[in-house]
Amino acid sequence: MLYCIVSKSNNVYYKVLAFNNFSTQAVLLIVAISIISNNFFSLDIALLYASISFISTIALMKLMSL
């Protein structure tokens, strides 16, 4: 579904929203794998990835509003 949004949409806002949705799902996957494997170092990686994703989303939205 995200592939359809990114490939067929000309609107940049939908593409940023799809990227944000994908990165949220990736963070949830990393957290789930971390809990299942009992490796809590991966939680730090998930938090880092989530913060980078959040900052990039805010930066892109601020850049497009100019």
Side-chain angles (χ1 to χ4, degrees):
M1 183 171 173
L2 290 175
Y3 178 73
C4 293
I5 292 172
V6 172
S7 64
K8 295 182 181 183
S9 175
N10 291 331
N11 195 352
V12 179
Y13 293 110
Y14 288 140
K15 291 182 180 184
V16 171
L17 185 65
F19 168 74
N20 195 12
N21 190 359
F22 175 74
S23 63
T24 301
Q25 290 176 359
V27 167
L28 288 174
L29 180 68
I30 292 171
V31 168
I33 290 172
S34 172
I35 291 172
I36 290 171
S37 67
N38 204 15
N39 181 10
F40 295 109
F41 177 70
S42 299
L43 288 176
D44 294 335
I45 295 171
L47 285 172
L48 179 68
Y49 185 70
S51 63
I52 289 172
S53 172
F54 176 73
I55 291 171
S56 66
T57 302
I58 297 298
L60 280 171
M61 288 296 168
K62 202 172 248 291
L63 180 70
M64 287 188 289
S65 68
L66 293 178

